[in-house]
Amino acid sequence: MPPSPSTKRQKLAAPEAVQFNQSHIDNLEVLKTTYLSELPFPHILLPNAISQPAQILNEVISNLKVTYKESDLFKFYQSVDLANISDVSSSSSTSSSTPTLLSLINLLYSSKFTSYIESLLSLPPSTLTSTVDMAANVHTSGCHLLAHDDCISTRCVSYILYFSDSDWDCLVDGGGLELYDVNSVKKERDLVRPCKVINPTFGSMAMFRVNGGETVHSIQEVTREGGVRMAIQGWYHQKEPAQGMEAATLGELKGGGEEVAVEGGGFVPFSIANDDADDVNDDVLKKYINPTYLTPASMEQIAQRFETDSSVQLREFLNEETMKLVDFATGEIDSGGDETGYDEGIGNGWSAVGPVHKQRYLELTTDTTTSTTTTTTTTAQTIILSKLKTDLFSSPKFKSYLAKITSLPPSTILGRRGQIRRFRKGLDYTVAYHGQGTGKDTKILDATVCFVKGGSGKQVLHSDENEEEQHNALDEVWESGEVGGFECYIAEDEEEDEEHTTFGDYNNEEENEDNSELLSVRAGNNMLNLVLRDEGTLRFVKFVNHEAPGSRFDVCMEYEVEEACNDDDEDDE
């Protein structure tokens, strides 16, 4: 017969404590030298940093709930702050089911280990506090974290413990830790590309001291289907504000630093003599614009919509003849060139635009309508884009047209500036930042016409049924927003908690009932987006996912609009 069960509950064996790799302790002096010598800023990667990484990973996957988060800066899944379960006396179900994770937390924030970190990073003794600040971050395909420096509040040291799949290779799978050199004067392409990428090797630990404006880093978009890049990200805090706070990237984005130059240069004034709002049937307009939008009835309807919403989107804005040229040009640009990765598309009139904590995209900086320095092929590809910017959107006739379809007094549209941009998939974006060109007495009328690989609504250029179905499918991909490339307008929150690293998780409905999103415009081929914004409105183009059908191209124009007083309004009527 089997033995009868004991009347007393058997005591479970205590879990084995997580240990730090002894070899890293023994080689402290060597590691200190390595840390200080690493470029572009001091950092260290410690392989096989801790014991029981597989058990920690299992406990995180089995017991921690992660929440989807997305903003202009990031897209990933994140757990609760692990400080909430770090008390070993906690009776919560989470703490009792994650004993190895709790052991890791106790190790990392023990006085003995923080003293080791202080020695490794050459910090004065007792610099680091015992404040626990850490969370589990999960990156699946399409997830990313754009460039920033971690300089917030009292953060002193940033660390990342990696629990990615054991065969992870960031050259193939993405998800690498990118480090940027913001100090050296380098070639144009080095302004927007990392100088080092660290692979998230299972069980390794990356670490650096936070320094505002210096420790700029990002996490590559994950491109591995079915794979999981899991990491525990955390910080050690100090009693004083973080080092370099005056130069922090977040401070610059929120307007705490010096005024930054606005992309596109200064406004070029319109001639007052050309304030003729009735002359909208000029040959320049007819040459490029869909005739539907030039009829009095259409213009009146657009104006009514704009007066109500301060924005309007016009599909199939350019005529069919123009779009044949545009579709050919953008298709050739997207499929041509020998460079790949960060260098893709740079050259032949296209320049990289940074800095990376604000934006990364290519701008057509050479006017190919007059330039004699570009190649014949380049001119053929880009001349239509240049002509749209110079001949149409910068013309006094288009100003008159804008006045008609927005009901703005012509005399209040003072000047224009613009860019021809390319957002490459898997690389490019802009983020929201304070002071995007608006002033106290002026507003900006954004007029952006977007070009992506897809259909053009009623103006389908191919009669073949399969081609039409393909274009419709591509339209749905862009329309979903899953591949990015959309333009989003949000309200600036002046009282936002400094612990937040962006202007809001606009796509996290569960935790953000107070959504700051004002308008989101999906990327659509041949669609003009008109938006009137003031200094309290920010905008960005979401990172273009590697699964996007192609690049997002646009002619992005801004028109300076003076606040009109009542007298001026009456004079213009």
Side-chain angles (χ1 to χ4, degrees):
M1 293 180 60
S4 59
S6 172
T7 58
K8 293 184 179 181
R9 180 176 295 179
Q10 294 182 355
K11 184 177 181 181
L12 297 176
E16 180 183 350
V18 175
Q19 302 292 327
F20 187 62
N21 192 325
Q22 184 63 40
S23 66
H24 297 325
I25 298 175
D26 297 339
N27 294 317
L28 175 60
E29 294 303 317
V30 175
L31 293 175
K32 288 172 64 175
T33 302
T34 300
Y35 168 78
L36 293 173
S37 63
E38 291 288 0
L39 297 174
F41 50 81
H43 64 276
I44 194 77
L45 181 67
L46 303 173
N48 302 314
I50 56 171
S51 63
Q52 306 184 76
Q55 180 61 25
I56 294 170
L57 174 61
N58 182 62
E59 289 182 1
V60 169
I61 293 175
S62 302
N63 299 284
L64 295 187
K65 177 185 176 182
V66 292
T67 302
Y68 177 71
K69 293 179 175 289
E70 183 175 8
S71 78
D72 54 340
L73 188 65
F74 54 72
K75 177 181 179 180
F76 55 73
Y77 298 84
Q78 188 174 65
S79 73
V80 298
D81 187 343
L82 297 184
N84 296 330
I85 64 169
S86 62
D87 185 354
V88 293
S89 65
S90 171
S91 59
S92 70
S93 59
T94 302
S95 61
S96 61
S97 58
T98 55
T100 314
L101 176 60
L102 287 171
S103 178
L104 171 67
I105 297 171
N106 291 332
L107 166 68
L108 295 179
Y109 289 91
S110 66
S111 58
K112 182 177 180 180
F113 192 75
T114 54
S115 294
Y116 172 82
I117 298 301
E118 289 167 349
S119 297
L120 176 61
L121 275 57
S122 300
L123 299 171
S126 301
T127 295
L128 305 180
T129 69
S130 59
T131 301
V132 177
D133 185 3
M134 59 195 301
N137 294 333
V138 177
H139 288 232
T140 57
S141 180
C143 290
H144 55 271
L145 175 59
L146 303 181
H148 61 291
D149 60 13
D150 274 359
C151 188
I152 295 176
S153 184
T154 57
R155 289 177 181 174
C156 182
V157 176
S158 178
Y159 69 85
I160 312 171
L161 270 167
Y162 293 113
F163 299 90
S164 306
D165 295 342
S166 58
D167 61 344
W168 198 278
D169 181 358
C170 66
L171 296 178
V172 177
D173 305 318
L177 177 65
E178 301 176 315
L179 308 182
Y180 290 87
D181 184 353
V182 299
N183 290 318
S184 298
V185 177
K186 292 181 176 287
K187 296 179 181 179
E188 168 192 293
R189 63 187 59 190
D190 290 323
L191 297 175
V192 291
R193 61 173 295 157
C195 65
K196 185 173 185 178
V197 181
I198 296 175
N199 191 62
T201 304
F202 183 81
S204 63
M205 184 178 192
M207 187 183 306
F208 56 84
R209 183 178 185 184
V210 173
N211 191 358
E214 301 288 335
T215 51
V216 176
H217 60 286
S218 63
I219 297 176
Q220 290 174 319
E221 179 193 16
V222 169
T223 57
R224 183 171 184 168
E225 292 295 335
V228 176
R229 179 199 186 278
M230 204 282 277
I232 292 179
Q233 166 79 61
W235 296 271
Y236 292 104
H237 287 257
Q238 60 187 22
K239 297 176 182 178
E240 298 78 22
Q243 179 175 264
M245 184 69 78
E246 68 283 351
T249 55
L250 178 60
E252 183 177 330
L253 295 180
K254 297 185 70 173
E258 296 181 2
E259 189 69 22
V260 294
V262 176
E263 266 43 69
F267 287 102
V268 177
F270 283 108
S271 171
I272 298 178
N274 290 312
D275 282 343
D276 183 2
D278 293 322
D279 186 13
V280 295
N281 288 309
D282 182 82
D283 288 342
V284 172
L285 304 183
K286 291 180 178 180
K287 180 178 179 180
Y288 296 106
I289 298 177
N290 184 337
T292 300
Y293 291 123
L294 296 176
T295 66
S298 292
M299 288 189 287
E300 182 178 356
Q301 185 179 4
I302 296 168
Q304 290 174 352
R305 178 67 179 271
F306 190 86
E307 287 186 62
T308 301
D309 299 336
S310 294
S311 67
V312 68
Q313 288 74 50
L314 306 180
R315 297 180 182 276
E316 306 106 45
F317 180 70
L318 301 176
N319 60 38
E320 186 171 339
E321 183 178 353
T322 300
M323 282 309 299
K324 286 180 180 179
L325 298 174
V326 171
D327 283 342
F328 176 78
T330 55
E332 288 292 301
I333 294 169
D334 238 5
S335 62
D338 298 326
E339 298 283 9
T340 58
Y342 304 99
D343 295 336
E344 178 187 348
I346 296 178
N348 290 326
W350 293 94
S351 300
V353 177
V356 288
H357 69 276
K358 286 173 52 183
Q359 60 215 352
R360 177 167 61 203
Y361 58 86
L362 302 186
E363 179 188 4
L364 184 60
T365 54
T366 302
D367 181 0
T368 52
T369 63
T370 59
S371 176
T372 59
T373 59
T374 53
T375 65
T376 302
T377 301
T378 302
T379 302
Q381 291 174 350
T382 59
I383 191 169
I384 183 59
L385 299 177
S386 294
K387 281 184 172 293
L388 286 173
K389 176 174 177 278
T390 57
D391 295 358
L392 177 62
F393 293 112
S394 298
S395 70
K397 298 302 181 182
F398 191 75
K399 171 195 169 179
S400 298
Y401 179 70
L402 284 176
K404 268 291 187 182
I405 64 174
T406 62
S407 296
L408 291 170
S411 61
T412 65
I413 305 177
L414 305 179
R416 81 280 182 186
R417 65 184 176 204
Q419 295 177 292
I420 301 169
R421 306 184 299 184
R422 177 189 177 190
F423 293 84
R424 302 159 297 174
K425 64 178 186 177
L427 289 172
D428 295 339
Y429 56 87
T430 66
V431 303
Y433 62 90
H434 176 81
Q436 292 177 304
T438 55
K440 293 181 180 180
D441 299 322
T442 60
K443 294 184 178 181
I444 286 182
L445 175 62
D446 293 327
T448 304
V449 61
C450 177
F451 307 114
V452 293
K453 189 176 182 180
S456 299
K458 297 178 181 178
Q459 293 187 1
V460 178
L461 303 181
H462 303 279
S463 58
D464 183 84
E465 184 177 352
N466 293 331
E467 289 281 3
E468 185 173 341
E469 290 180 357
Q470 179 184 6
H471 279 244
N472 289 337
L474 296 179
D475 287 339
E476 291 178 2
V477 172
W478 289 110
E479 186 68 25
S480 72
E482 292 297 319
V483 297
F486 55 86
E487 186 161 35
C488 191
Y489 287 78
I490 60 176
E492 182 174 7
D493 185 358
E494 296 180 357
E495 298 180 355
E496 187 174 4
D497 188 336
E498 67 176 359
E499 288 293 334
H500 293 173
T501 57
T502 66
F503 288 96
D505 297 351
Y506 62 82
N507 209 11
N508 185 5
E509 297 179 359
E510 291 184 7
E511 296 186 357
N512 293 275
E513 297 179 1
D514 224 359
N515 204 312
S516 62
E517 180 183 322
L518 301 175
L519 175 68
S520 183
V521 182
R522 305 305 187 194
N525 195 33
N526 191 20
M527 183 165 68
L528 177 69
N529 180 33
L530 292 176
V531 179
L532 185 65
R533 59 184 168 92
D534 55 25
E535 62 179 342
T537 303
L538 309 175
R539 67 171 178 164
F540 62 90
V541 174
K542 180 61 181 175
F543 176 86
V544 181
N545 189 296
H546 74 284
E547 294 183 335
S551 299
R552 170 197 164 111
F553 294 84
D554 62 37
V555 179
C556 177
M557 299 296 296
E558 296 180 337
Y559 300 89
E560 185 180 25
V561 178
E562 184 179 38
E563 292 278 13
C565 64
N566 292 333
D567 292 340
D568 289 338
D569 290 343
E570 293 173 0
D571 292 340
D572 285 300
E573 289 179 353

